[in-house]
Amino acid sequence: MKELSHFLNGAYVKGSSGRFADVFNPATGETQAQCPMASVDETTQAIADAAAAQPAWAATNPQKRARVMMAMVGLMNRDMDKLAEALSREHGKTIPDAKGDLQRGLEVIEYCIGAPQMLKGEYTDDAGPGIDMYSMRQPLGVVGSIMPFNFPAMMPLWHVGPALACGNAVVLKPSERDPSVPLMLAELFVEAGLPAGVFQVVNGDKEAVDTILDSDIIQGVSFVGSTPIAQYIYSRATATGKRAQCFGGAKNHMIIMPDADIDQAADALIGAGFGAAGERCMAISVAVPVGEETADRLIEALVPRVEKLRVAPYTDGDDVDYGPVVTRDAKERILGLINSGVEQGAKLVVDNRDFSLQGYENGFFVGPHLFDNVTTDMDIYTKEIFGPVLSVVRAPTYEAALGMAMDHEYGNGTAIYTRDGDTARDFAHRINIGMVGINVPIPVPLAYHTFGGWKKSVFGDLNQHGPDSFKFYTRTKTVTSRWPSGIKEGGEFNFKAMD
């Protein structure tokens, strides 16, 4: 059995706690590795070593830090196939999905090459007689990053990249379900020129997380995961004076107007709803057609597309639509919610509850499911399923459809499909959701814009990547300066003495 390690002070280090978590092969259900769970002492030491390495890194000028980012881009491109295979092996997503995971993380590292521009302060000459004012952005110090299983490359890079570019040291706690890629990325950062100790990877569970949250050294914490855990981490981190950004759950609606291209909308829903087995915080899990005719046409278009989806291990080639979910517990939770939808009266139009893949009967595969006539009081509507399940909720009017999305407790992403510019503009302006797509199903902003939701999808004032990330990982210091040109006489400056 393969035993994984932590990555500390520039090298792989075996765990010493004696506690391990199983890392599964999601396609077979077999344990393929064991991940060490760090103790309080191990985590505390990793934080202390990061604190020792951070001042020299902060004193490195932004151009040189940017060159590390530039080198990292080249190394990730060099190792893209190896990284993607390792990601797919532990997570279960297809190779194209894995490469997309890596690419979206890589784009943030590319953005961080512009750190010198992002870290520039402001300057005011002659703010008063002989007085100048200027501001500077300085790193927080040591920050913690607690990341989810569903994007084991993208999510760490979204946080670690800007944090490092700003001059911080980072202690990363990746998901214990698929930890290999974060460890590989840490190794690549060292190869790119990052000093040892500036980026520490500590595998662990709640014990390691709470140690990060309670540490007096850690100055800021980033988290991505479920809303209950996001609330917990935000509350505990801020209670000890830390800056925190915590991103939680989602329930993303796509509104389909009567004038929409139904085939285009159906194709978008297939990719947005079922890609990566639905294990995405930006997945579209609710389709809201406006009007019965629109709904009937949408269902007619969706059914054959859902039925044709190919579910298989990533090793079966690039024509696989999606693979297994990450664990057996995840599979059972998803099937439980599907059963609740049937029990509560929704129409299960495509039913794959008995899905089984020959030769992979013990794998964590969930077939694609399509519900119609879902109502807003059903569990499959109110809860984040995080699986390959699409619910169609019929709305009589545009206002009713808009109200569904606005009234839901989550506010991560949303989309509308329409040919009408007035409707699209109204939707974009009125919707109380952080990321909006107009004829775009998954409106994930590019790296130079900010990513983040509203309502119970986020806790904290600043979002991920883009300009917000540089604001989050730095503090602003403002200096007011005067240089008298005289000599002291009686404790006062004589400005004419030097004339």
Side-chain angles (χ1 to χ4, degrees):
M1 180 68 64
K2 181 180 180 181
E3 183 179 317
L4 301 176
S5 301
H6 308 297
F7 192 87
L8 305 171
N9 302 319
Y12 288 101
V13 177
K14 285 193 171 185
S16 60
S17 71
R19 296 189 305 118
F20 295 88
D22 290 334
V23 179
F24 295 101
N25 179 338
T28 65
E30 297 172 342
T31 301
Q32 60 178 316
Q34 291 207 308
C35 179
M37 299 288 99
S39 65
V40 171
D41 288 345
E42 287 175 293
T43 309
T44 300
Q45 187 60 54
I47 294 169
D49 290 343
Q54 189 270 334
W57 176 242
T60 302
N61 68 54
Q63 294 97 319
K64 290 183 179 178
R65 297 202 298 263
R67 288 176 194 139
V68 172
M69 300 296 150
M70 193 179 302
M72 184 66 177
V73 170
L75 294 173
M76 283 189 64
N77 280 315
R78 181 196 71 186
D79 290 356
M80 182 64 70
D81 290 341
K82 182 169 69 172
L83 289 163
E85 200 281 331
L87 195 157
S88 293
R89 186 174 62 248
E90 289 185 350
H91 178 276
K93 65 177 67 178
T94 65
I95 292 292
D97 263 347
K99 288 185 175 180
D101 186 332
L102 288 155
Q103 180 62 35
R104 293 312 297 265
L106 180 61
E107 289 168 6
V108 171
I109 301 302
E110 290 174 334
Y111 176 73
C112 290
I113 294 171
Q117 171 69 20
M118 298 304 300
L119 294 172
K120 287 195 308 183
E122 299 172 326
Y123 188 91
T124 300
D125 184 46
D126 285 332
I131 296 174
D132 303 323
M133 284 186 180
Y134 62 93
S135 65
M136 60 183 79
R137 305 200 71 90
Q138 295 188 323
L140 300 181
V142 182
V143 297
S145 185
I146 303 161
M147 294 290 103
F149 74 86
N150 59 323
F151 284 95
M154 183 184 81
M155 283 284 97
L157 290 170
W158 280 14
H159 296 262
V160 170
L164 293 175
C166 289
N168 299 283
V170 181
V171 178
L172 170 68
K173 206 297 288 182
S175 172
E176 65 275 16
R177 299 172 187 175
D178 44 14
S180 289
V181 169
L183 292 165
M184 295 166 71
L185 292 173
E187 185 178 15
L188 288 182
F189 265 114
V190 171
E191 186 179 348
L194 189 70
V198 174
F199 182 20
Q200 309 275 67
V201 181
V202 178
N203 292 301
D205 51 13
K206 188 175 184 296
E207 189 170 319
V209 169
D210 286 347
T211 304
I212 290 170
L213 297 178
D214 295 342
S215 170
D216 292 335
I217 294 173
I218 298 287
Q219 298 298 302
V221 174
S222 297
F223 170 80
V224 180
S226 69
T227 286
I229 305 302
Q231 287 179 300
Y232 168 79
I233 288 178
Y234 184 79
S235 297
R236 188 156 179 165
T238 55
T240 55
K242 295 175 177 57
R243 185 176 293 185
Q245 53 173 193
C246 300
F247 301 89
K251 197 72 178 181
N252 305 318
H253 298 62
M254 179 196 286
I255 295 174
I256 301 95
M257 297 299 294
D259 67 338
D261 183 320
I262 292 297
D263 286 329
Q264 184 185 68
D267 287 339
L269 283 167
I270 293 300
F274 297 98
E279 293 180 319
R280 298 188 290 205
C281 69
M282 288 297 285
I284 294 291
S285 56
V286 180
V288 188
V290 175
E292 290 296 320
E293 182 184 352
T294 307
D296 290 342
R297 289 192 295 135
L298 182 66
I299 290 293
E300 183 181 0
L302 282 172
V303 168
R305 287 169 166 82
V306 175
E307 291 176 339
K308 289 178 183 177
L309 286 170
R310 184 168 179 240
V311 184
Y314 77 91
T315 50
D316 275 20
D318 290 351
D319 63 337
V320 174
D321 289 299
Y322 70 85
V325 296
V326 70
T327 63
R328 182 171 284 105
D329 287 345
K331 175 181 177 177
E332 292 174 354
R333 183 185 56 78
I334 294 164
L335 291 175
L337 282 167
I338 293 168
N339 286 331
S340 78
V342 174
E343 292 165 3
Q344 292 172 5
K347 183 180 179 182
L348 188 51
V349 180
V350 178
D351 183 355
N352 277 304
R353 285 175 290 177
D354 60 353
F355 180 86
S356 181
L357 197 60
Q358 187 175 1
Y360 297 92
E361 290 82 2
N362 293 322
F364 311 141
F365 293 94
V366 179
H369 292 76
L370 174 64
F371 278 102
D372 192 8
N373 300 118
V374 174
T375 57
T376 57
D377 58 343
M378 295 177 180
D379 289 344
I380 56 171
Y381 178 80
T382 59
K383 296 182 179 180
E384 184 178 31
I385 300 175
F386 226 57
V389 183
L390 179 63
S391 297
V392 175
V393 185
R394 296 175 178 233
T397 64
Y398 165 69
E399 289 295 333
L402 183 69
M404 288 180 198
M406 293 187 71
D407 290 344
H408 204 285
E409 66 176 336
Y410 294 131
N412 211 40
T414 189
I416 188 169
Y417 269 65
T418 182
R419 290 185 172 98
D420 187 272
D422 288 340
T423 301
R425 189 174 187 276
D426 179 80
F427 181 76
H429 279 75
R430 289 172 61 191
I431 196 72
N432 59 348
I433 290 171
M435 291 169 285
V436 180
I438 298 172
N439 299 315
V440 174
I442 302 181
V444 176
L446 292 175
Y448 42 86
H449 287 267
T450 188
F451 177 108
W454 290 12
K455 298 185 281 189
K456 286 191 175 180
S457 291
V458 65
F459 301 88
D461 298 325
L462 293 169
N463 287 328
Q464 302 173 87
H465 66 61
D468 268 15
S469 63
F470 280 81
K471 293 176 184 176
F472 180 81
Y473 288 113
T474 59
R475 293 188 179 96
T476 301
K477 180 184 289 182
T478 304
V479 179
T480 302
S481 171
R482 182 176 69 178
W483 292 96
S485 57
I487 58 174
K488 280 187 176 181
E489 291 184 359
E492 298 293 334
F493 281 99
N494 182 351
F495 291 99
K496 296 182 178 180
M498 301 298 291
D499 290 345

